[in-house]
């Protein structure tokens, strides 16, 4: 039996969404036991409860030896406000768990990776059940959390380098902070959603200047791009190639990650050592 705790470091989940995930898990993954922390449903303005509540809920889940993994409920915004305090108070039981999320959850994943705690991975969250086709994302996540590897991002199979994956905005905001891990020698995958192409260009300007020594960069999907009052003149891949070339970072092509149900799983570090392998 794999026991998974779900908490919300950022924004809240609806109870009916949790119920749908619980039903899918019970039907398709009888050897998985899900426990949604009550904090997932708290609301404090934008957040799933105040900072102290979100911090304490994460610590309860991570420090409880009864759980094998901590699954993030949703992204949005807020994990950066608690990540440092969480990492400082993690105990021995937190160190062997899998931690799965993406988007704003990247702040927590980065902080955990920097601290050498557990097995952080970029991949679907419980809240993806609300997306069209979200059931596939939930199955992928539960399969991985239960020890499967069928949902991994396909380029990992032949990657000799450690890897990490982030939402581009989240990675840009991490750079220069005490949550930022050392990504020297890594292949980094980035994705983005709902940003103008000029903003994507601005983010690549910053990120590529802050990450010397990368083994390479892969670009995931850049989706739901708003229409500006004039064409930018380059698409997302051309932007990525331009800034990688200026920074001397090898551009390695596409990655199968993004803000959508097809989002594949990227364990941080060497893929062969992910999730307790």
């Amino acid at each position: 039996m794999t026991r998974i705790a779900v908490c919300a470091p950022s924004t809240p989940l609806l109870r009916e969404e949790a119920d749908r995930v619980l039903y899918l898990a019970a039907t398709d993954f009888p050897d998985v036991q899900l426990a949604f922390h009550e904090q997932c449903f708290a609301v404090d303005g934008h957040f799933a409860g105040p900072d102290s509540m979100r911090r304490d809920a994460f610590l309860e889940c991570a420090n409880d030896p009864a759980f094998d993994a901590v699954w993030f409920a949703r992204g949005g915004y807020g994990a950066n406000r608690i990540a440092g305090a969480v990492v400082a108070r993690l105990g021995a039981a937190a160190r062997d768990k899998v931690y799965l999320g993406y988007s704003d959850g990247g702040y927590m994943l980065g902080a955990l990776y920097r601290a050498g705690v557990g097995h952080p991975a970029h991949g679907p969250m419980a809240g993806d059940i609300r997306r069209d086709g979200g059931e596939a994302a939930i199955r992928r996540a539960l399969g991985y959390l239960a020890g499967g590897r069928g949902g991994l991002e396909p380029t990992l199979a032949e990657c000799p380098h450690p890897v990490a994956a982030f939402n581009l905005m989240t990675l840009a905001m991490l750079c220069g902070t005490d949550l930022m891990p050392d990504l020297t020698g890594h292949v980094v995958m980035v994705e983005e959603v709902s940003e103008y192409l000029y903003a994507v260009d601005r983010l690549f300007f910053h990120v590529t200047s802050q990450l010397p020594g990368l083994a390479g960069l892969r670009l995931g999907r850049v989706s739901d791009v708003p229409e500006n009052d004039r064409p930018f003149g380059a698409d997302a891949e051309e932007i990525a190639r331009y800034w990688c070339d200026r920074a001397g970072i090898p551009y390695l092509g596409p990655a199968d990650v993004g803000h959508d149900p097809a989002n594949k799983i990227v364990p941080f570090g060497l893929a062969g050592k992910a999730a307790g392998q």
Side-chain angles (χ1 to χ4, degrees), residues 150-211:
L152 296 184
E153 201 283 333
T155 66
L156 298 179
E158 298 180 358
C159 182
H161 304 285
V163 297
F166 293 94
N167 169 259
L168 182 59
M169 176 69 80
T170 301
L171 180 58
M173 296 299 101
L174 273 170
C175 288
T177 73
D178 57 5
L179 304 179
M180 180 68 187
D182 182 2
L183 297 178
T184 303
H186 286 60
V187 170
V188 173
M189 304 180 186
V190 294
E191 50 80 19
E192 191 51 84
V193 65
S194 301
E195 294 288 350
Y196 289 99
L197 286 174
Y198 69 77
V200 173
D201 191 82
R202 181 192 297 140
L203 292 169
F204 268 109
F205 155 71
H206 179 65
V207 164
T208 55
S209 70
Q210 296 297 306
L211 297 178

Side-chain angles (χ1 to χ4, degrees), residues 5 8 22 42 66 75 78 91 93 98 109 112-113 118 138 150 162 182 210 242 260 277:
L22 286 166
V98 179
L109 298 177
L112 291 165
Y113 193 51
I138 300 303
D182 182 2
Q210 296 297 306
Y242 174 83
D260 53 50
Q277 299 291 322

Side-chain angles (χ1 to χ4, degrees), residues 14-231:
L14 298 177
R15 289 187 185 274
E16 51 264 39
E17 293 166 345
D19 289 342
R20 290 178 61 194
V21 174
L22 286 166
Y23 179 81
L24 189 155
T27 303
D28 293 3
F29 296 88
D31 292 330
V32 168
Q33 185 178 88
L34 281 180
F36 281 85
H37 195 290
E38 188 65 20
Q39 171 269 328
C40 290
F41 314 114
V43 177
D44 183 55
H46 175 86
F47 305 108
D51 290 354
S52 59
M53 177 186 289
R54 301 195 323 280
R55 177 200 65 207
D56 291 349
F58 195 102
L59 288 168
E60 287 175 27
C61 295
N63 286 333
D64 188 336
F67 293 115
D68 304 298
V70 177
W71 194 19
F72 304 170
R74 284 192 65 197
Y77 174 69
N80 61 310
R81 295 164 64 107
I82 65 170
V86 164
V87 169
R89 295 169 58 182
L90 291 173
R95 298 194 170 273
D96 289 327
K97 285 183 171 61
V98 179
Y99 298 87
L100 183 64
Y102 73 107
S103 190
D104 188 70
Y107 292 109
M108 194 68 72
L109 298 177
L112 291 165
Y113 193 51
R114 175 184 173 122
V117 173
H119 306 282
H122 178 284
M125 295 179 287
D128 284 320
I129 193 70
R130 71 180 60 192
R131 299 184 186 276
D132 290 339
E135 294 86 355
I138 300 303
R139 291 187 178 96
R140 188 179 311 117
L142 291 174
Y144 176 74
L145 292 170
R149 298 176 66 79
L152 296 184
E153 201 283 333
T155 66
L156 298 179
E158 298 180 358
C159 182
H161 304 285
V163 297
F166 293 94
N167 169 259
L168 182 59
M169 176 69 80
T170 301
L171 180 58
M173 296 299 101
L174 273 170
C175 288
T177 73
D178 57 5
L179 304 179
M180 180 68 187
D182 182 2
L183 297 178
T184 303
H186 286 60
V187 170
V188 173
M189 304 180 186
V190 294
E191 50 80 19
E192 191 51 84
V193 65
S194 301
E195 294 288 350
Y196 289 99
L197 286 174
Y198 69 77
V200 173
D201 191 82
R202 181 192 297 140
L203 292 169
F204 268 109
F205 155 71
H206 179 65
V207 164
T208 55
S209 70
Q210 296 297 306
L211 297 178
L214 286 188
L217 183 140
R218 288 188 176 275
L219 180 65
R221 288 176 287 283
V222 177
S223 57
D224 296 335
V225 177
E227 186 174 347
N228 196 21
D229 61 355
R230 67 189 67 196

Side-chain angles (χ1 to χ4, degrees), residues 231-254:
F232 182 70
D235 63 23
E237 183 176 16
E238 290 169 331
I239 291 168
R241 287 181 179 276
Y242 174 83
W243 287 108
C244 283
D245 183 63
R246 282 190 53 160
I249 296 171
Y251 178 74
L252 303 178

